[in-house]
Amino acid sequence: MSMSVESVSAPARVAELGEGITVDELRLAARNHGMPLEALHYDVTPVGLHYLLTHYDIPVIDPAAWRLAVDGAVPRPLSLSLDDLRAREPVTHRVTLECAGNGRARLEPRPVSQPWLDEAVGTASWTGARLADVLGEAGLRDGARLLDAAVDVAFTGADRGVERGEEQVYRRGLPVAEALRDDVLLAYEMNGQPLPPQHGAPVRLVVPGWYGMAHVKWLVGVTVLDAPFDGFQNVTAYRVKREPDEPGEPVTRILPRALIRPPGIPDFQSRVRIVDRGRVVLTGRAWSGWAPVLGVDVSADGGGSWAAAELGPQPDTYAWRPWRFTWEAPEPGRYALRARARDGAGHVQPVEAAWNRQGMANNHAQLVDVVVR
């Protein structure tokens, strides 16, 4: 008896009010891990602590046999090896990546998917060749003039699977103007070492400032299109919408977010923090994909009142920025710490979540429960 992929691929849904995490979500959570928040200590996240989301399977690719096809609406299609990319000028950028679904599990009702809390983030130093140089060699530009036919650029990964009943390879598109930015990389190194398999070896796309879905891993194809890209991961997934039949808005750049490095010591299961009364130095990181972070405010009463934190240096345009705040922990009791960021583009991180059906781009302020003893 033949069966269709739809029979094993569940439609998108929102959990019933009060419904617990499903077995399928637990299975996803076991495969995809967040960054332990104590790793906010590091300017650059160690590879094994960086957040990870894999849509399908981690493909096994022989770097020596790997080729990147650059084709579509260009006059000079290319087929590049890893050595071809490494022969170009290497460029390194420190970039904070965040999953577009970060915070999804805190929504009520909860969109049923990868159940992220606050930890779907990490910052790495990515090294590779400029995508703009490769597209230039393929003829996307004629001198300073862009080809009239070029609208979007589609990026194809080697990972294949089924999502919402649709069999596909993972594929995302970018507007040509974004693809031609000088800081967009065909990255082959992470923190000075060859990409590990789970992070897209041998080559992945890095699009500084954009949520993680745009940073296509296990990259095998770059296709210049003469029409907007209409693949699943652009027009169906990664949309901000409230109703199932509305098109919604596409997820693009990262909204500002600040995270608190958990102070004190944790309870094993609840992760409630325990600190001693008196001076407690709070630290954390803040970032935005729209503009540099200009300020971080901290609250010890769940958002009722706020005070400004001290900012550290901005290490790279799209890397997180450290911050520091001294809290005088008062009499023993339970307190709710929050932090919120604002960026140079006028975005201010909200305290409460803005609900949407896919749980996308929710940058509401983290809540850290602390017991003062």
Side-chain angles (χ1 to χ4, degrees), residues 3-4 14 24 60 81 115 138 150 174 183-184 189 220 244 252 262 271 312 322 370:
M3 297 185 67
S4 66
V14 174
D24 284 347
V60 178
S81 68
L174 281 177
D183 55 0
V184 177
E189 288 185 1
V220 294
T252 58
R271 309 310 293 177
V370 174

Side-chain angles (χ1 to χ4, degrees), residues 23-33 54-55 113-115:
V23 171
D24 284 347
E25 288 174 294
L26 287 175
R27 188 178 292 111
L28 285 174
R31 288 183 52 82
N32 302 309
H33 64 79
T54 302
H55 273 253
S113 185
Q114 167 66 31

Side-chain angles (χ1 to χ4, degrees), residues 282-327:
L282 302 175
T283 61
R285 308 276 174 174
W287 62 94
S288 172
W290 290 92
V293 168
L294 297 185
V296 171
D297 297 320
V298 177
S299 173
D301 57 8
S305 60
W306 299 88
E310 176 186 350
L311 291 178
Q314 181 79 48
D316 208 335
T317 303
Y318 296 106
W320 56 25
R321 188 173 187 180
W323 59 265
R324 177 186 178 94
F325 181 84
T326 300
W327 175 43

Side-chain angles (χ1 to χ4, degrees), residues 41 134 168 197 201 206 270 302 325:
H41 165 79
V134 170
Q168 59 188 282
V206 173
S270 70
F325 181 84

Side-chain angles (χ1 to χ4, degrees), residues 59-365:
V60 178
I61 300 174
D62 178 3
W66 173 87
R67 307 291 292 190
L68 177 66
V70 183
D71 55 20
V74 290
R76 297 185 295 274
L78 305 174
S79 177
L80 303 174
S81 68
L82 184 56
D83 287 342
D84 291 332
L85 290 183
R86 287 186 171 275
R88 288 163 167 77
E89 177 192 6
V91 179
T92 299
H93 289 293
R94 188 183 298 182
V95 178
T96 296
L97 265 64
E98 182 180 9
C99 184
N102 202 14
R104 176 187 290 125
R106 297 194 183 280
L107 297 180
E108 184 64 34
R110 185 187 78 259
V112 176
S113 185
Q114 167 66 31
W116 292 124
L117 295 169
D118 305 296
E119 302 89 348
V121 67
T123 295
S125 290
W126 305 96
T127 299
R130 291 187 182 90
L131 173 65
D133 291 346
V134 170
L135 290 173
E137 291 178 26
L140 185 55
R141 287 187 183 276
D142 180 8
R145 180 175 173 274
L146 187 66
L147 289 181
D148 292 336
V151 175
D152 280 357
V153 182
F155 302 90
T156 303
D159 48 329
R160 187 174 188 86
V162 178
E163 198 161 348
R164 308 306 180 204
E166 183 173 325
E167 185 173 345
Q168 59 188 282
V169 292
Y170 187 85
R171 204 167 186 232
R172 277 284 306 187
L174 281 177
V176 166
E178 290 291 317
L180 287 174
R181 286 167 38 194
D182 281 345
D183 55 0
V184 177
L185 299 179
L186 300 171
Y188 46 73
E189 288 185 1
M190 180 182 186
N191 294 353
Q193 299 295 322
L195 286 181
Q198 70 273 28
H199 284 287
V203 173
R204 72 176 296 168
L205 186 68
V206 173
V207 188
W210 282 57
Y211 281 107
M213 77 284 158
H215 304 243
V216 177
K217 294 183 283 189
W218 311 292
L219 192 65
V220 294
V222 176
T223 304
V224 177
L225 304 174
D226 59 5
F229 177 64
D230 61 357
F232 179 94
Q233 300 296 340
N234 275 65
V235 301
T236 300
Y238 296 103
R239 312 288 293 190
V240 177
K241 59 182 184 178
R242 295 186 62 86
E243 301 298 332
D245 55 352
E246 68 173 288
E249 295 295 324
V251 176
T252 58
R253 289 177 177 264
I254 300 171
L255 292 169
R257 186 189 292 270
L259 285 180
I260 301 168
R261 179 186 174 191
I265 59 174
D267 173 72
F268 167 70
Q269 184 162 316
S270 70
R271 309 310 293 177
V272 169
R273 311 303 298 189
I274 302 165
V275 303
D276 294 324
R277 183 178 181 181
R279 176 165 294 189
V280 178
V281 177
L282 302 175
T283 61
R285 308 276 174 174
W287 62 94
S288 172
W290 290 92
V293 168
L294 297 185
V296 171
D297 297 320
V298 177
S299 173
D301 57 8
S305 60
W306 299 88
E310 176 186 350
L311 291 178
Q314 181 79 48
D316 208 335
T317 303
Y318 296 106
W320 56 25
R321 188 173 187 180
W323 59 265
R324 177 186 178 94
F325 181 84
T326 300
W327 175 43
E328 294 294 339
E331 65 272 6
R334 194 157 183 156
Y335 298 86
L337 303 182
R338 288 187 185 268
R340 65 182 182 189
R342 55 185 171 85
D343 67 20
H347 300 109
V348 179
Q349 186 180 354
V351 174
E352 301 299 333
W355 187 89
N356 64 87
R357 291 192 67 84
Q358 294 183 9
M360 294 293 171
N362 281 300
N363 64 327
H364 57 285

